[in-house]
Amino acid sequence: MILKQAKQNGIDIIIAIAIILGLLVPSMFLSGIRGYIIPPENGMPLFNTIYEHLFDGGINGWTQVASLLLIFVEISLLVLLNSDFELTRAKPTMFALVFLVLSLTYIPCNTLLPEQIANIFITIGLIKIFACHSMDNASHTFFDAGMCFGIGFLFCAPAAIMLLVGLIAIIIFRPFKGNELIIFVLGFITPAFFYITVYYLIEGTLKPLKDFVQTKINDTRLHTITYNSVICLAADAVQLLIASALIFGDYSKYNLFHSRAYRLLLIMFVMIFCSYFVPMFSLQAMRMTTLPVTILFVTVFYESKPSLMLEIFFGVFVLGNMALQLLWYRL
C-alpha cells in the first residue's frame, strides 16, 4: 500500500518527495503562472525594508529561491520539534512530504512571505514552551519563548496572535503564575523595543513607523476571494474535518502532555484562521497554519489504525492537493 511505503524512511518516499518537488516547484518560476502569485501583504517594516533592498521589492527568481530555502528550514525545525517531544513516531520524510504538499499547492502564496520567517521563530518558541511542561522554574524559558514569538512579529504582522497563543499555552501547560505571564509578555515586546531603539538611532525619527501602524489600524479593506481560492479552501476544509475527526477518535490514547500540545496547536490554528477576518491581515496569514496542520495530518497518517479508507484519504490528500495547481494553469 502507498501509505505503508510512505511511513518508511526508505528510497521510495524520497523519490516521491522529489517527484512532488518536480511537479510543484516549476509554478514558482514559470512566467505565465507567476503572474498569479500575490506579493507579500502582511510584512512588517523590518521585512519590507529587507524585501526592498535585497529583492527590489518585487517577485523574482531570488525571492522564489529564498522561499524554497525557508521551506526546508521550516521542515527541519518541525522535525526538531517532533524529535524533542515525539508528538508522533513519524519519520522526517513524512513531515517533508506533508509540509511540501501543504505549502506549495496554493499558487498565489508560492513566493517569499513574512509568514515563512515568522513560522521559523514560532516553531522555536513552541519548542521552548513545550519544554516548560516538566520544569520547576521556567521563567527564563518563557522569556525566550516570548522573545522568539516577538521576533516573528517583527517580520509578520499576523504573528501578533502568538502573544495570545503563548499566554494560553502557559495556562494550559503550567499552574497559573502571574509572574510567568508577565515574563513571557516582556520577552515578546523586547525585540520590538530594540528594533524601535535602533531604528530611531539610525533614522532620527519614528514617524515612518507611526505612519505604518496608523495605516494598518485604519485599514478597512474588504477581502475578496477568487473562484479558484474558494475551491482550494473548500477542499482544505473537507480534508481538515476528516483529519480532525480521526484524531479526536484517538484522543483518549494520548498522554497528558500530548493532549495539551494538540489542544494548543488547535487553538493556534483557530486563532490564525480567525485572523483572516481582521481587515489589516490578508489571506496570506493562513500560511502560518502549515505548522499545526502538518502535525495534524502526519499524526493521522502515521498513528491511525491502518485501513483502506485511510489509504484512500492519504492518496486524495497528496494527489488532490497537487491537482489544485491545475486551477491556475487553465487560466
Side-chain angles (χ1 to χ4, degrees), residues 99-136:
F99 193 93
L100 289 171
V101 169
L102 290 173
S103 60
L104 289 176
T105 51
Y106 186 66
I107 284 180
C109 287
N110 280 2
T111 188
L112 175 63
L113 297 176
E115 284 79 6
Q116 291 184 267
I117 302 176
N119 272 347
I120 291 171
F121 291 101
I122 287 171
T123 306
I124 298 172
L126 286 176
I127 291 174
K128 296 288 185 180
I129 286 204
F130 286 171
C132 295
H133 179 72
S134 57
M135 290 184 180
D136 293 328

PDB file of all heavy atoms in Angstrom, residues 99-136:
ATOM      1  N   PHE A  99       4.387  18.560   4.505  1.00  0.00           N
ATOM      2  CA  PHE A  99       4.613  20.007   4.529  1.00  0.00           C
ATOM      3  C   PHE A  99       4.732  20.567   3.117  1.00  0.00           C
ATOM      4  O   PHE A  99       4.189  21.641   2.817  1.00  0.00           O
ATOM      5  CB  PHE A  99       5.871  20.335   5.334  1.00  0.00           C
ATOM      6  CG  PHE A  99       6.010  21.798   5.666  1.00  0.00           C
ATOM      7  CD1 PHE A  99       5.523  22.298   6.856  1.00  0.00           C
ATOM      8  CD2 PHE A  99       6.616  22.682   4.786  1.00  0.00           C
ATOM      9  CE1 PHE A  99       5.634  23.656   7.170  1.00  0.00           C
ATOM     10  CE2 PHE A  99       6.743  24.026   5.078  1.00  0.00           C
ATOM     11  CZ  PHE A  99       6.244  24.516   6.279  1.00  0.00           C
ATOM     12  N   LEU A 100       5.439  19.868   2.240  1.00  0.00           N
ATOM     13  CA  LEU A 100       5.593  20.335   0.862  1.00  0.00           C
ATOM     14  C   LEU A 100       4.250  20.394   0.147  1.00  0.00           C
ATOM     15  O   LEU A 100       3.966  21.352  -0.584  1.00  0.00           O
ATOM     16  CB  LEU A 100       6.559  19.421   0.107  1.00  0.00           C
ATOM     17  CG  LEU A 100       8.034  19.525   0.500  1.00  0.00           C
ATOM     18  CD1 LEU A 100       8.845  18.432  -0.159  1.00  0.00           C
ATOM     19  CD2 LEU A 100       8.596  20.899   0.143  1.00  0.00           C
ATOM     20  N   VAL A 101       3.426  19.382   0.356  1.00  0.00           N
ATOM     21  CA  VAL A 101       2.107  19.375  -0.275  1.00  0.00           C
ATOM     22  C   VAL A 101       1.263  20.545   0.222  1.00  0.00           C
ATOM     23  O   VAL A 101       0.586  21.225  -0.558  1.00  0.00           O
ATOM     24  CB  VAL A 101       1.386  18.035   0.001  1.00  0.00           C
ATOM     25  CG1 VAL A 101      -0.079  18.115  -0.403  1.00  0.00           C
ATOM     26  CG2 VAL A 101       2.073  16.901  -0.743  1.00  0.00           C
ATOM     27  N   LEU A 102       1.324  20.812   1.530  1.00  0.00           N
ATOM     28  CA  LEU A 102       0.517  21.893   2.089  1.00  0.00           C
ATOM     29  C   LEU A 102       1.026  23.270   1.697  1.00  0.00           C
ATOM     30  O   LEU A 102       0.240  24.198   1.486  1.00  0.00           O
ATOM     31  CB  LEU A 102       0.490  21.781   3.618  1.00  0.00           C
ATOM     32  CG  LEU A 102      -0.287  20.611   4.207  1.00  0.00           C
ATOM     33  CD1 LEU A 102      -0.071  20.534   5.711  1.00  0.00           C
ATOM     34  CD2 LEU A 102      -1.785  20.731   3.892  1.00  0.00           C
ATOM     35  N   SER A 103       2.329  23.427   1.599  1.00  0.00           N
ATOM     36  CA  SER A 103       2.892  24.768   1.411  1.00  0.00           C
ATOM     37  C   SER A 103       3.064  25.178  -0.043  1.00  0.00           C
ATOM     38  O   SER A 103       3.224  26.370  -0.330  1.00  0.00           O
ATOM     39  CB  SER A 103       4.248  24.869   2.120  1.00  0.00           C
ATOM     40  OG  SER A 103       5.169  23.931   1.597  1.00  0.00           O
ATOM     41  N   LEU A 104       3.021  24.231  -0.981  1.00  0.00           N
ATOM     42  CA  LEU A 104       3.317  24.567  -2.373  1.00  0.00           C
ATOM     43  C   LEU A 104       2.127  24.461  -3.328  1.00  0.00           C
ATOM     44  O   LEU A 104       2.241  24.865  -4.478  1.00  0.00           O
ATOM     45  CB  LEU A 104       4.448  23.671  -2.897  1.00  0.00           C
ATOM     46  CG  LEU A 104       5.848  23.945  -2.347  1.00  0.00           C
ATOM     47  CD1 LEU A 104       6.832  22.916  -2.875  1.00  0.00           C
ATOM     48  CD2 LEU A 104       6.310  25.352  -2.704  1.00  0.00           C
ATOM     49  N   THR A 105       1.010  23.938  -2.863  1.00  0.00           N
ATOM     50  CA  THR A 105      -0.085  23.699  -3.812  1.00  0.00           C
ATOM     51  C   THR A 105      -0.926  24.946  -4.093  1.00  0.00           C
ATOM     52  O   THR A 105      -1.588  25.012  -5.124  1.00  0.00           O
ATOM     53  CB  THR A 105      -1.015  22.582  -3.298  1.00  0.00           C
ATOM     54  OG1 THR A 105      -1.407  22.863  -1.953  1.00  0.00           O
ATOM     55  CG2 THR A 105      -0.326  21.242  -3.336  1.00  0.00           C
ATOM     56  N   TYR A 106      -0.894  25.928  -3.192  1.00  0.00           N
ATOM     57  CA  TYR A 106      -1.693  27.143  -3.403  1.00  0.00           C
ATOM     58  C   TYR A 106      -0.812  28.189  -4.083  1.00  0.00           C
ATOM     59  O   TYR A 106      -0.045  28.895  -3.435  1.00  0.00           O
ATOM     60  CB  TYR A 106      -2.236  27.655  -2.069  1.00  0.00           C
ATOM     61  CG  TYR A 106      -3.195  28.824  -2.218  1.00  0.00           C
ATOM     62  CD1 TYR A 106      -4.425  28.652  -2.843  1.00  0.00           C
ATOM     63  CD2 TYR A 106      -2.872  30.082  -1.738  1.00  0.00           C
ATOM     64  CE1 TYR A 106      -5.313  29.710  -2.983  1.00  0.00           C
ATOM     65  CE2 TYR A 106      -3.746  31.147  -1.872  1.00  0.00           C
ATOM     66  CZ  TYR A 106      -4.969  30.951  -2.496  1.00  0.00           C
ATOM     67  OH  TYR A 106      -5.845  32.012  -2.641  1.00  0.00           O
ATOM     68  N   ILE A 107      -0.920  28.285  -5.389  1.00  0.00           N
ATOM     69  CA  ILE A 107      -0.011  29.095  -6.203  1.00  0.00           C
ATOM     70  C   ILE A 107       0.076  30.566  -5.780  1.00  0.00           C
ATOM     71  O   ILE A 107       1.168  31.140  -5.768  1.00  0.00           O
ATOM     72  CB  ILE A 107      -0.381  28.963  -7.699  1.00  0.00           C
ATOM     73  CG1 ILE A 107       0.111  27.603  -8.219  1.00  0.00           C
ATOM     74  CG2 ILE A 107       0.220  30.089  -8.536  1.00  0.00           C
ATOM     75  CD1 ILE A 107      -0.184  27.327  -9.664  1.00  0.00           C
ATOM     76  N   PRO A 108      -1.021  31.251  -5.445  1.00  0.00           N
ATOM     77  CA  PRO A 108      -0.902  32.679  -5.074  1.00  0.00           C
ATOM     78  C   PRO A 108       0.045  32.958  -3.910  1.00  0.00           C
ATOM     79  O   PRO A 108       0.519  34.080  -3.764  1.00  0.00           O
ATOM     80  CB  PRO A 108      -2.347  33.060  -4.708  1.00  0.00           C
ATOM     81  CG  PRO A 108      -3.185  32.148  -5.537  1.00  0.00           C
ATOM     82  CD  PRO A 108      -2.440  30.843  -5.540  1.00  0.00           C
ATOM     83  N   CYS A 109       0.334  31.952  -3.086  1.00  0.00           N
ATOM     84  CA  CYS A 109       1.239  32.150  -1.945  1.00  0.00           C
ATOM     85  C   CYS A 109       2.616  31.545  -2.173  1.00  0.00           C
ATOM     86  O   CYS A 109       3.416  31.466  -1.229  1.00  0.00           O
ATOM     87  CB  CYS A 109       0.618  31.557  -0.678  1.00  0.00           C
ATOM     88  SG  CYS A 109      -0.758  32.515  -0.026  1.00  0.00           S
ATOM     89  N   ASN A 110       2.909  31.126  -3.393  1.00  0.00           N
ATOM     90  CA  ASN A 110       4.186  30.473  -3.667  1.00  0.00           C
ATOM     91  C   ASN A 110       5.290  31.488  -3.952  1.00  0.00           C
ATOM     92  O   ASN A 110       5.833  31.573  -5.058  1.00  0.00           O
ATOM     93  CB  ASN A 110       4.049  29.510  -4.846  1.00  0.00           C
ATOM     94  CG  ASN A 110       3.428  28.190  -4.430  1.00  0.00           C
ATOM     95  OD1 ASN A 110       3.066  28.009  -3.281  1.00  0.00           O
ATOM     96  ND2 ASN A 110       3.289  27.280  -5.363  1.00  0.00           N
ATOM     97  N   THR A 111       5.641  32.242  -2.942  1.00  0.00           N
ATOM     98  CA  THR A 111       6.743  33.199  -3.026  1.00  0.00           C
ATOM     99  C   THR A 111       7.246  33.466  -1.620  1.00  0.00           C
ATOM    100  O   THR A 111       6.692  32.944  -0.633  1.00  0.00           O
ATOM    101  CB  THR A 111       6.289  34.503  -3.702  1.00  0.00           C
ATOM    102  OG1 THR A 111       7.427  35.343  -3.927  1.00  0.00           O
ATOM    103  CG2 THR A 111       5.287  35.258  -2.836  1.00  0.00           C
ATOM    104  N   LEU A 112       8.286  34.257  -1.515  1.00  0.00           N
ATOM    105  CA  LEU A 112       8.826  34.606  -0.198  1.00  0.00           C
ATOM    106  C   LEU A 112       7.794  35.415   0.575  1.00  0.00           C
ATOM    107  O   LEU A 112       7.359  36.475   0.135  1.00  0.00           O
ATOM    108  CB  LEU A 112      10.106  35.420  -0.373  1.00  0.00           C
ATOM    109  CG  LEU A 112      10.735  35.974   0.907  1.00  0.00           C
ATOM    110  CD1 LEU A 112      11.168  34.842   1.829  1.00  0.00           C
ATOM    111  CD2 LEU A 112      11.920  36.875   0.573  1.00  0.00           C
ATOM    112  N   LEU A 113       7.410  34.912   1.746  1.00  0.00           N
ATOM    113  CA  LEU A 113       6.402  35.571   2.573  1.00  0.00           C
ATOM    114  C   LEU A 113       6.947  35.796   3.984  1.00  0.00           C
ATOM    115  O   LEU A 113       7.726  34.985   4.490  1.00  0.00           O
ATOM    116  CB  LEU A 113       5.129  34.719   2.659  1.00  0.00           C
ATOM    117  CG  LEU A 113       4.365  34.456   1.362  1.00  0.00           C
ATOM    118  CD1 LEU A 113       3.202  33.515   1.622  1.00  0.00           C
ATOM    119  CD2 LEU A 113       3.869  35.763   0.758  1.00  0.00           C
ATOM    120  N   PRO A 114       6.515  36.871   4.631  1.00  0.00           N
ATOM    121  CA  PRO A 114       6.941  37.090   6.025  1.00  0.00           C
ATOM    122  C   PRO A 114       6.446  35.983   6.949  1.00  0.00           C
ATOM    123  O   PRO A 114       7.058  35.720   7.987  1.00  0.00           O
ATOM    124  CB  PRO A 114       6.318  38.444   6.378  1.00  0.00           C
ATOM    125  CG  PRO A 114       5.198  38.625   5.401  1.00  0.00           C
ATOM    126  CD  PRO A 114       5.654  37.966   4.141  1.00  0.00           C
ATOM    127  N   GLU A 115       5.348  35.334   6.552  1.00  0.00           N
ATOM    128  CA  GLU A 115       4.826  34.223   7.358  1.00  0.00           C
ATOM    129  C   GLU A 115       5.833  33.084   7.468  1.00  0.00           C
ATOM    130  O   GLU A 115       5.871  32.378   8.482  1.00  0.00           O
ATOM    131  CB  GLU A 115       3.521  33.695   6.749  1.00  0.00           C
ATOM    132  CG  GLU A 115       2.307  34.557   7.001  1.00  0.00           C
ATOM    133  CD  GLU A 115       2.224  35.778   6.093  1.00  0.00           C
ATOM    134  OE1 GLU A 115       3.075  35.904   5.175  1.00  0.00           O
ATOM    135  OE2 GLU A 115       1.325  36.609   6.287  1.00  0.00           O
ATOM    136  N   GLN A 116       6.642  32.896   6.437  1.00  0.00           N
ATOM    137  CA  GLN A 116       7.653  31.840   6.482  1.00  0.00           C
ATOM    138  C   GLN A 116       8.710  32.136   7.552  1.00  0.00           C
ATOM    139  O   GLN A 116       9.107  31.240   8.300  1.00  0.00           O
ATOM    140  CB  GLN A 116       8.329  31.698   5.119  1.00  0.00           C
ATOM    141  CG  GLN A 116       7.431  31.148   4.031  1.00  0.00           C
ATOM    142  CD  GLN A 116       8.188  30.948   2.729  1.00  0.00           C
ATOM    143  OE1 GLN A 116       8.218  31.823   1.875  1.00  0.00           O
ATOM    144  NE2 GLN A 116       8.811  29.792   2.577  1.00  0.00           N
ATOM    145  N   ILE A 117       9.148  33.377   7.602  1.00  0.00           N
ATOM    146  CA  ILE A 117      10.133  33.753   8.624  1.00  0.00           C
ATOM    147  C   ILE A 117       9.500  33.651  10.007  1.00  0.00           C
ATOM    148  O   ILE A 117      10.118  33.151  10.961  1.00  0.00           O
ATOM    149  CB  ILE A 117      10.653  35.180   8.364  1.00  0.00           C
ATOM    150  CG1 ILE A 117      11.285  35.267   6.972  1.00  0.00           C
ATOM    151  CG2 ILE A 117      11.663  35.587   9.437  1.00  0.00           C
ATOM    152  CD1 ILE A 117      11.733  36.653   6.574  1.00  0.00           C
ATOM    153  N   ALA A 118       8.254  34.098  10.118  1.00  0.00           N
ATOM    154  CA  ALA A 118       7.558  34.008  11.396  1.00  0.00           C
ATOM    155  C   ALA A 118       7.430  32.556  11.843  1.00  0.00           C
ATOM    156  O   ALA A 118       7.618  32.238  13.027  1.00  0.00           O
ATOM    157  CB  ALA A 118       6.178  34.655  11.281  1.00  0.00           C
ATOM    158  N   ASN A 119       7.129  31.656  10.906  1.00  0.00           N
ATOM    159  CA  ASN A 119       6.991  30.239  11.249  1.00  0.00           C
ATOM    160  C   ASN A 119       8.254  29.676  11.877  1.00  0.00           C
ATOM    161  O   ASN A 119       8.199  28.828  12.774  1.00  0.00           O
ATOM    162  CB  ASN A 119       6.645  29.429  10.000  1.00  0.00           C
ATOM    163  CG  ASN A 119       5.152  29.357   9.744  1.00  0.00           C
ATOM    164  OD1 ASN A 119       4.342  29.705  10.599  1.00  0.00           O
ATOM    165  ND2 ASN A 119       4.776  28.911   8.560  1.00  0.00           N
ATOM    166  N   ILE A 120       9.398  30.125  11.393  1.00  0.00           N
ATOM    167  CA  ILE A 120      10.673  29.636  11.926  1.00  0.00           C
ATOM    168  C   ILE A 120      10.799  29.990  13.403  1.00  0.00           C
ATOM    169  O   ILE A 120      11.100  29.133  14.249  1.00  0.00           O
ATOM    170  CB  ILE A 120      11.844  30.220  11.114  1.00  0.00           C
ATOM    171  CG1 ILE A 120      11.861  29.627   9.702  1.00  0.00           C
ATOM    172  CG2 ILE A 120      13.176  29.974  11.826  1.00  0.00           C
ATOM    173  CD1 ILE A 120      12.836  30.286   8.755  1.00  0.00           C
ATOM    174  N   PHE A 121      10.541  31.244  13.735  1.00  0.00           N
ATOM    175  CA  PHE A 121      10.665  31.675  15.127  1.00  0.00           C
ATOM    176  C   PHE A 121       9.519  31.152  15.992  1.00  0.00           C
ATOM    177  O   PHE A 121       9.707  30.888  17.189  1.00  0.00           O
ATOM    178  CB  PHE A 121      10.743  33.198  15.185  1.00  0.00           C
ATOM    179  CG  PHE A 121      12.025  33.752  14.626  1.00  0.00           C
ATOM    180  CD1 PHE A 121      12.065  34.299  13.353  1.00  0.00           C
ATOM    181  CD2 PHE A 121      13.195  33.692  15.355  1.00  0.00           C
ATOM    182  CE1 PHE A 121      13.253  34.788  12.823  1.00  0.00           C
ATOM    183  CE2 PHE A 121      14.394  34.178  14.841  1.00  0.00           C
ATOM    184  CZ  PHE A 121      14.418  34.729  13.569  1.00  0.00           C
ATOM    185  N   ILE A 122       8.350  30.983  15.393  1.00  0.00           N
ATOM    186  CA  ILE A 122       7.225  30.415  16.142  1.00  0.00           C
ATOM    187  C   ILE A 122       7.530  28.973  16.544  1.00  0.00           C
ATOM    188  O   ILE A 122       7.245  28.554  17.673  1.00  0.00           O
ATOM    189  CB  ILE A 122       5.937  30.486  15.302  1.00  0.00           C
ATOM    190  CG1 ILE A 122       5.437  31.927  15.231  1.00  0.00           C
ATOM    191  CG2 ILE A 122       4.848  29.581  15.897  1.00  0.00           C
ATOM    192  CD1 ILE A 122       4.290  32.139  14.257  1.00  0.00           C
ATOM    193  N   THR A 123       8.130  28.204  15.623  1.00  0.00           N
ATOM    194  CA  THR A 123       8.469  26.819  15.931  1.00  0.00           C
ATOM    195  C   THR A 123       9.487  26.751  17.063  1.00  0.00           C
ATOM    196  O   THR A 123       9.359  25.935  17.987  1.00  0.00           O
ATOM    197  CB  THR A 123       9.030  26.111  14.685  1.00  0.00           C
ATOM    198  OG1 THR A 123       8.105  26.249  13.603  1.00  0.00           O
ATOM    199  CG2 THR A 123       9.247  24.631  14.972  1.00  0.00           C
ATOM    200  N   ILE A 124      10.502  27.625  17.012  1.00  0.00           N
ATOM    201  CA  ILE A 124      11.496  27.661  18.098  1.00  0.00           C
ATOM    202  C   ILE A 124      10.818  28.041  19.410  1.00  0.00           C
ATOM    203  O   ILE A 124      11.104  27.466  20.474  1.00  0.00           O
ATOM    204  CB  ILE A 124      12.621  28.648  17.760  1.00  0.00           C
ATOM    205  CG1 ILE A 124      13.367  28.207  16.497  1.00  0.00           C
ATOM    206  CG2 ILE A 124      13.600  28.772  18.929  1.00  0.00           C
ATOM    207  CD1 ILE A 124      14.378  29.222  15.990  1.00  0.00           C
ATOM    208  N   GLY A 125       9.883  29.002  19.356  1.00  0.00           N
ATOM    209  CA  GLY A 125       9.147  29.400  20.547  1.00  0.00           C
ATOM    210  C   GLY A 125       8.310  28.264  21.113  1.00  0.00           C
ATOM    211  O   GLY A 125       8.231  28.081  22.335  1.00  0.00           O
ATOM    212  N   LEU A 126       7.688  27.483  20.237  1.00  0.00           N
ATOM    213  CA  LEU A 126       6.885  26.343  20.701  1.00  0.00           C
ATOM    214  C   LEU A 126       7.770  25.282  21.345  1.00  0.00           C
ATOM    215  O   LEU A 126       7.365  24.646  22.335  1.00  0.00           O
ATOM    216  CB  LEU A 126       6.113  25.735  19.532  1.00  0.00           C
ATOM    217  CG  LEU A 126       4.916  26.548  19.023  1.00  0.00           C
ATOM    218  CD1 LEU A 126       4.307  25.881  17.797  1.00  0.00           C
ATOM    219  CD2 LEU A 126       3.866  26.729  20.111  1.00  0.00           C
ATOM    220  N   ILE A 127       8.971  25.083  20.815  1.00  0.00           N
ATOM    221  CA  ILE A 127       9.903  24.147  21.434  1.00  0.00           C
ATOM    222  C   ILE A 127      10.205  24.587  22.860  1.00  0.00           C
ATOM    223  O   ILE A 127      10.246  23.766  23.796  1.00  0.00           O
ATOM    224  CB  ILE A 127      11.199  24.051  20.598  1.00  0.00           C
ATOM    225  CG1 ILE A 127      10.931  23.358  19.258  1.00  0.00           C
ATOM    226  CG2 ILE A 127      12.289  23.304  21.379  1.00  0.00           C
ATOM    227  CD1 ILE A 127      12.118  23.358  18.312  1.00  0.00           C
ATOM    228  N   LYS A 128      10.407  25.889  23.044  1.00  0.00           N
ATOM    229  CA  LYS A 128      10.662  26.419  24.396  1.00  0.00           C
ATOM    230  C   LYS A 128       9.467  26.197  25.307  1.00  0.00           C
ATOM    231  O   LYS A 128       9.624  25.781  26.471  1.00  0.00           O
ATOM    232  CB  LYS A 128      10.974  27.918  24.301  1.00  0.00           C
ATOM    233  CG  LYS A 128      12.240  28.269  23.529  1.00  0.00           C
ATOM    234  CD  LYS A 128      13.478  27.905  24.301  1.00  0.00           C
ATOM    235  CE  LYS A 128      14.733  28.384  23.573  1.00  0.00           C
ATOM    236  NZ  LYS A 128      15.965  28.027  24.316  1.00  0.00           N
ATOM    237  N   ILE A 129       8.267  26.475  24.792  1.00  0.00           N
ATOM    238  CA  ILE A 129       7.064  26.354  25.622  1.00  0.00           C
ATOM    239  C   ILE A 129       6.797  24.898  25.984  1.00  0.00           C
ATOM    240  O   ILE A 129       6.474  24.582  27.124  1.00  0.00           O
ATOM    241  CB  ILE A 129       5.861  26.966  24.884  1.00  0.00           C
ATOM    242  CG1 ILE A 129       5.973  28.474  24.925  1.00  0.00           C
ATOM    243  CG2 ILE A 129       4.547  26.480  25.467  1.00  0.00           C
ATOM    244  CD1 ILE A 129       4.734  29.264  24.777  1.00  0.00           C
ATOM    245  N   PHE A 130       6.934  24.000  25.008  1.00  0.00           N
ATOM    246  CA  PHE A 130       6.714  22.588  25.308  1.00  0.00           C
ATOM    247  C   PHE A 130       7.713  22.089  26.350  1.00  0.00           C
ATOM    248  O   PHE A 130       7.376  21.231  27.171  1.00  0.00           O
ATOM    249  CB  PHE A 130       6.844  21.751  24.036  1.00  0.00           C
ATOM    250  CG  PHE A 130       5.677  21.884  23.093  1.00  0.00           C
ATOM    251  CD1 PHE A 130       5.718  21.331  21.822  1.00  0.00           C
ATOM    252  CD2 PHE A 130       4.525  22.547  23.470  1.00  0.00           C
ATOM    253  CE1 PHE A 130       4.653  21.437  20.945  1.00  0.00           C
ATOM    254  CE2 PHE A 130       3.449  22.683  22.608  1.00  0.00           C
ATOM    255  CZ  PHE A 130       3.510  22.119  21.343  1.00  0.00           C
ATOM    256  N   ALA A 131       8.939  22.618  26.323  1.00  0.00           N
ATOM    257  CA  ALA A 131       9.961  22.186  27.273  1.00  0.00           C
ATOM    258  C   ALA A 131       9.614  22.585  28.705  1.00  0.00           C
ATOM    259  O   ALA A 131      10.113  21.981  29.663  1.00  0.00           O
ATOM    260  CB  ALA A 131      11.319  22.764  26.881  1.00  0.00           C
ATOM    261  N   CYS A 132       8.762  23.602  28.861  1.00  0.00           N
ATOM    262  CA  CYS A 132       8.396  24.081  30.196  1.00  0.00           C
ATOM    263  C   CYS A 132       7.463  23.124  30.927  1.00  0.00           C
ATOM    264  O   CYS A 132       7.208  23.284  32.121  1.00  0.00           O
ATOM    265  CB  CYS A 132       7.713  25.448  30.101  1.00  0.00           C
ATOM    266  SG  CYS A 132       8.792  26.743  29.475  1.00  0.00           S
ATOM    267  N   HIS A 133       6.961  22.128  30.207  1.00  0.00           N
ATOM    268  CA  HIS A 133       5.974  21.214  30.787  1.00  0.00           C
ATOM    269  C   HIS A 133       6.490  20.519  32.031  1.00  0.00           C
ATOM    270  O   HIS A 133       5.752  20.303  32.988  1.00  0.00           O
ATOM    271  CB  HIS A 133       5.569  20.173  29.729  1.00  0.00           C
ATOM    272  CG  HIS A 133       4.582  19.172  30.223  1.00  0.00           C
ATOM    273  ND1 HIS A 133       3.266  19.491  30.468  1.00  0.00           N
ATOM    274  CD2 HIS A 133       4.715  17.841  30.511  1.00  0.00           C
ATOM    275  CE1 HIS A 133       2.623  18.405  30.889  1.00  0.00           C
ATOM    276  NE2 HIS A 133       3.485  17.401  30.927  1.00  0.00           N
ATOM    277  N   SER A 134       7.779  20.195  32.062  1.00  0.00           N
ATOM    278  CA  SER A 134       8.338  19.426  33.176  1.00  0.00           C
ATOM    279  C   SER A 134       9.325  20.218  34.021  1.00  0.00           C
ATOM    280  O   SER A 134      10.076  19.646  34.805  1.00  0.00           O
ATOM    281  CB  SER A 134       9.030  18.163  32.637  1.00  0.00           C
ATOM    282  OG  SER A 134      10.039  18.511  31.702  1.00  0.00           O
ATOM    283  N   MET A 135       9.329  21.546  33.864  1.00  0.00           N
ATOM    284  CA  MET A 135      10.276  22.378  34.610  1.00  0.00           C
ATOM    285  C   MET A 135       9.659  22.904  35.908  1.00  0.00           C
ATOM    286  O   MET A 135       8.467  23.206  35.958  1.00  0.00           O
ATOM    287  CB  MET A 135      10.722  23.571  33.754  1.00  0.00           C
ATOM    288  CG  MET A 135      11.618  23.222  32.595  1.00  0.00           C
ATOM    289  SD  MET A 135      12.164  24.734  31.722  1.00  0.00           S
ATOM    290  CE  MET A 135      13.191  24.029  30.445  1.00  0.00           C
ATOM    291  N   ASP A 136      10.493  23.013  36.936  1.00  0.00           N
ATOM    292  CA  ASP A 136      10.039  23.643  38.180  1.00  0.00           C
ATOM    293  C   ASP A 136      10.054  25.161  38.051  1.00  0.00           C
ATOM    294  O   ASP A 136       9.104  25.841  38.433  1.00  0.00           O
ATOM    295  CB  ASP A 136      10.934  23.205  39.346  1.00  0.00           C
ATOM    296  CG  ASP A 136      10.779  21.722  39.655  1.00  0.00           C
ATOM    297  OD1 ASP A 136       9.662  21.197  39.459  1.00  0.00           O
ATOM    298  OD2 ASP A 136      11.774  21.097  40.064  1.00  0.00           O
TER     299      ASP A 136
END
